[in-house]
Amino acid sequence: MFNPDKFKWRVFDPKEKIPEHVSRWLLDSQSLTHKLKEKYNDFRVNVLSQEQNSPYECELKLLGSTTNLKIIVREVELIGSKTPVVNARSLIPLTDDTKDILKIGSRPLGEILFNDPEIKRGHLEVGSFNNSWARRSTFTISKTNLLVTEIFLESLYCLLYTSDAADE
Protein backbone atom coordinates (compact mmCIF):
# COMPACT_ATOMS: atom_id res chain seq x y z
CA MET A 1 0.00 0.00 0.00
CA PHE A 2 2.67 2.53 0.96
CA ASN A 3 6.31 2.67 1.79
CA PRO A 4 6.93 4.18 5.25
CA ASP A 5 10.62 4.62 4.38
CA LYS A 6 9.62 7.61 2.20
CA PHE A 7 8.37 9.56 5.21
CA LYS A 8 10.64 11.80 7.28
CA TRP A 9 9.84 10.43 10.76
CA ARG A 10 10.50 12.36 13.96
CA VAL A 11 9.20 12.97 17.43
CA PHE A 12 6.88 15.96 17.16
CA ASP A 13 8.49 19.31 17.94
CA PRO A 14 5.95 21.97 19.05
CA LYS A 15 7.97 24.57 17.11
CA GLU A 16 7.24 22.69 13.89
CA LYS A 17 4.72 24.37 11.61
CA ILE A 18 2.00 21.85 10.86
CA PRO A 19 -1.23 23.21 9.36
CA GLU A 20 -3.99 23.38 11.99
CA HIS A 21 -6.41 21.25 9.94
CA VAL A 22 -3.74 18.52 9.89
CA SER A 23 -2.46 18.84 13.46
CA ARG A 24 -5.90 18.38 15.03
CA TRP A 25 -5.89 14.86 13.56
CA LEU A 26 -2.19 14.10 13.59
CA LEU A 27 -1.47 15.08 17.19
CA ASP A 28 -4.68 13.90 18.85
CA SER A 29 -3.91 11.27 21.48
CA GLN A 30 -7.36 9.67 21.51
CA SER A 31 -8.40 6.76 19.33
CA LEU A 32 -8.52 7.70 15.66
CA THR A 33 -11.31 5.13 15.26
CA HIS A 34 -13.37 6.94 17.89
CA LYS A 35 -12.74 10.32 16.30
CA LEU A 36 -13.67 9.08 12.81
CA LYS A 37 -16.84 7.42 14.13
CA GLU A 38 -17.85 10.75 15.65
CA LYS A 39 -17.25 12.52 12.33
CA TYR A 40 -18.72 9.99 9.88
CA ASN A 41 -22.03 8.16 10.33
CA ASP A 42 -20.97 5.61 7.72
CA PHE A 43 -17.44 4.97 9.09
CA ARG A 44 -16.08 1.54 8.20
CA VAL A 45 -12.84 -0.35 7.72
CA ASN A 46 -11.87 -1.88 4.39
CA VAL A 47 -9.20 -4.56 4.92
CA LEU A 48 -6.83 -4.51 1.94
CA SER A 49 -4.55 -7.27 3.22
CA GLN A 50 -3.61 -9.13 6.36
CA GLU A 51 -0.80 -11.57 5.79
CA GLN A 52 2.67 -12.55 6.86
CA ASN A 53 5.09 -10.16 5.24
CA SER A 54 8.49 -8.54 5.70
CA PRO A 55 8.40 -5.13 7.39
CA TYR A 56 10.54 -2.23 6.26
CA GLU A 57 13.76 -1.64 8.19
CA CYS A 58 12.45 1.58 9.76
CA GLU A 59 9.49 -0.40 11.14
CA LEU A 60 11.58 -3.21 12.57
CA LYS A 61 13.64 -0.74 14.61
CA LEU A 62 10.50 0.43 16.40
CA LEU A 63 9.22 -3.07 17.12
CA GLY A 64 12.33 -4.04 19.01
CA SER A 65 13.41 -7.68 19.15
CA THR A 66 11.53 -9.65 16.52
CA THR A 67 14.12 -12.36 15.92
CA ASN A 68 12.44 -15.61 14.86
CA LEU A 69 8.97 -14.00 14.93
CA LYS A 70 6.49 -14.10 12.09
CA ILE A 71 5.00 -10.68 11.48
CA ILE A 72 1.52 -10.11 10.14
CA VAL A 73 1.15 -6.89 8.16
CA ARG A 74 -2.42 -5.55 8.17
CA GLU A 75 -3.22 -2.80 5.68
CA VAL A 76 -6.60 -1.09 5.75
CA GLU A 77 -8.47 1.91 4.46
CA LEU A 78 -10.57 3.86 6.95
CA ILE A 79 -13.66 4.99 5.08
CA GLY A 80 -15.85 8.03 5.81
CA SER A 81 -18.55 9.46 3.53
CA LYS A 82 -17.89 6.48 1.22
CA THR A 83 -14.30 7.71 0.64
CA PRO A 84 -10.94 6.51 2.01
CA VAL A 85 -9.77 9.17 4.49
CA VAL A 86 -6.90 7.33 6.22
CA ASN A 87 -4.64 4.47 5.20
CA ALA A 88 -3.34 2.39 8.07
CA ARG A 89 -0.57 -0.19 8.24
CA SER A 90 -0.18 -2.32 11.36
CA LEU A 91 2.63 -4.75 12.14
CA ILE A 92 1.52 -7.49 14.47
CA PRO A 93 4.11 -10.06 15.56
CA LEU A 94 2.50 -13.49 15.76
CA THR A 95 2.66 -14.40 19.47
CA ASP A 96 0.30 -15.72 22.13
CA ASP A 97 -0.29 -12.07 23.10
CA THR A 98 -1.66 -11.18 19.65
CA LYS A 99 -3.49 -14.27 18.38
CA ASP A 100 -6.93 -12.87 19.29
CA ILE A 101 -6.26 -9.52 17.62
CA LEU A 102 -5.63 -11.26 14.32
CA LYS A 103 -9.23 -12.53 14.33
CA ILE A 104 -10.84 -9.06 14.20
CA GLY A 105 -11.68 -9.13 10.50
CA SER A 106 -12.99 -5.73 9.43
CA ARG A 107 -13.37 -4.42 12.98
CA PRO A 108 -11.16 -1.42 13.70
CA LEU A 109 -7.92 -2.30 15.47
CA GLY A 110 -8.23 0.97 17.42
CA GLU A 111 -11.31 -0.36 19.24
CA ILE A 112 -9.17 -3.05 20.81
CA LEU A 113 -6.01 -1.02 21.41
CA PHE A 114 -7.75 1.89 23.15
CA ASN A 115 -10.42 -0.05 25.04
CA ASP A 116 -8.05 -2.40 26.89
CA PRO A 117 -6.33 -0.66 29.83
CA GLU A 118 -3.61 -3.34 29.80
CA ILE A 119 -2.43 -2.20 26.35
CA LYS A 120 0.07 0.65 26.58
CA ARG A 121 0.80 3.16 23.83
CA GLY A 122 4.39 4.24 23.16
CA HIS A 123 5.51 7.67 21.99
CA LEU A 124 4.04 9.23 18.88
CA GLU A 125 6.15 9.97 15.82
CA VAL A 126 5.00 12.18 12.96
CA GLY A 127 6.09 11.89 9.38
CA SER A 128 5.77 13.89 6.22
CA PHE A 129 6.34 13.14 2.56
CA ASN A 130 5.46 15.67 -0.13
CA ASN A 131 2.11 17.00 1.10
CA SER A 132 1.13 13.89 3.04
CA TRP A 133 1.19 13.59 6.83
CA ALA A 134 1.34 10.44 8.92
CA ARG A 135 1.80 9.30 12.48
CA ARG A 136 2.94 6.06 14.05
CA SER A 137 3.31 4.59 17.48
CA THR A 138 3.87 1.28 19.16
CA PHE A 139 1.38 -0.47 21.41
CA THR A 140 2.50 -3.05 23.94
CA ILE A 141 0.35 -6.07 24.71
CA SER A 142 1.96 -7.96 27.57
CA LYS A 143 5.46 -8.49 26.14
CA THR A 144 4.67 -7.92 22.45
CA ASN A 145 5.05 -4.62 20.59
CA LEU A 146 2.75 -3.77 17.67
CA LEU A 147 3.32 -0.86 15.32
CA VAL A 148 0.45 1.20 13.92
CA THR A 149 1.05 3.75 11.15
CA GLU A 150 -1.73 6.04 9.92
CA ILE A 151 -1.50 8.18 6.78
CA PHE A 152 -3.99 11.01 6.61
CA LEU A 153 -5.35 11.46 3.10
CA GLU A 154 -6.31 14.78 1.52
CA SER A 155 -9.90 13.53 1.32
CA LEU A 156 -10.08 13.70 5.14
CA TYR A 157 -9.44 17.42 5.06
CA CYS A 158 -11.64 18.12 2.02
CA LEU A 159 -14.53 16.20 3.60
CA LEU A 160 -13.76 17.88 6.90
CA TYR A 161 -14.08 21.33 5.39
CA THR A 162 -17.23 20.38 3.49
CA SER A 163 -18.96 18.91 6.54
CA ASP A 164 -17.73 21.72 8.81
CA ALA A 165 -19.24 24.29 6.44
CA ALA A 166 -22.51 22.31 6.38
CA ASP A 167 -22.58 22.28 10.21
CA GLU A 168 -22.57 26.09 10.38
Side-chain angles (χ1 to χ4, degrees):
M1 176 166 63
F2 73 94
N3 179 347
D5 275 336
K6 291 181 179 179
F7 283 78
K8 180 185 169 203
W9 294 105
R10 66 252 183 218
V11 174
F12 172 68
D13 179 349
K15 296 175 189 155
E16 186 173 356
K17 301 263 191 256
I18 297 176
E20 196 276 327
H21 69 278
V22 173
S23 66
R24 66 175 152 178
W25 289 90
L26 189 69
L27 303 176
D28 194 326
S29 62
Q30 72 174 325
S31 163
L32 180 60
T33 298
H34 177 75
K35 193 167 181 165
L36 290 170
K37 283 182 172 184
E38 284 182 340
K39 190 69 185 165
Y40 302 109
N41 293 335
D42 68 341
F43 172 79
R44 68 180 180 86
V45 175
N46 178 34
V47 179
L48 300 172
S49 67
Q50 181 173 311
E51 60 193 15
Q52 185 177 335
N53 207 332
S54 298
Y56 290 92
E57 195 61 39
C58 69
E59 296 173 317
L60 283 172
K61 288 178 185 174
L62 291 174
L63 283 178
S65 177
T66 56
T67 308
N68 300 324
L69 286 181
K70 294 179 181 176
I71 297 180
I72 305 301
V73 177
R74 175 181 163 96
E75 295 183 330
V76 302
E77 296 174 314
L78 305 180
I79 309 287
S81 295
K82 300 182 175 85
T83 304
V85 293
V86 175
N87 287 334
R89 176 180 168 91
S90 303
L91 273 59
I92 307 167
L94 193 52
T95 68
D96 287 340
D97 299 333
T98 62
K99 62 184 174 196
D100 290 337
I101 284 181
L102 293 169
K103 298 175 188 171
I104 64 172
S106 62
R107 281 185 46 219
L109 182 57
E111 282 182 357
I112 295 166
L113 298 178
F114 282 87
N115 291 336
D116 185 338
E118 298 296 314
I119 298 175
K120 304 296 180 210
R121 186 178 194 178
H123 74 277
L124 182 72
E125 288 187 342
V126 298
S128 55
F129 173 69
N130 290 337
N131 289 325
S132 296
W133 288 92
R135 70 181 187 182
R136 66 183 182 181
S137 55
T138 56
F139 291 83
T140 304
I141 302 174
S142 191
K143 296 176 184 162
T144 305
N145 287 333
L146 282 67
L147 177 64
V148 177
T149 303
E150 299 153 330
I151 297 178
F152 299 89
L153 305 176
E154 281 296 315
S155 54
L156 172 66
Y157 314 125
C158 294
L159 291 170
L160 180 68
Y161 290 140
T162 303
S163 62
D164 280 354
D167 291 344
E168 293 176 356

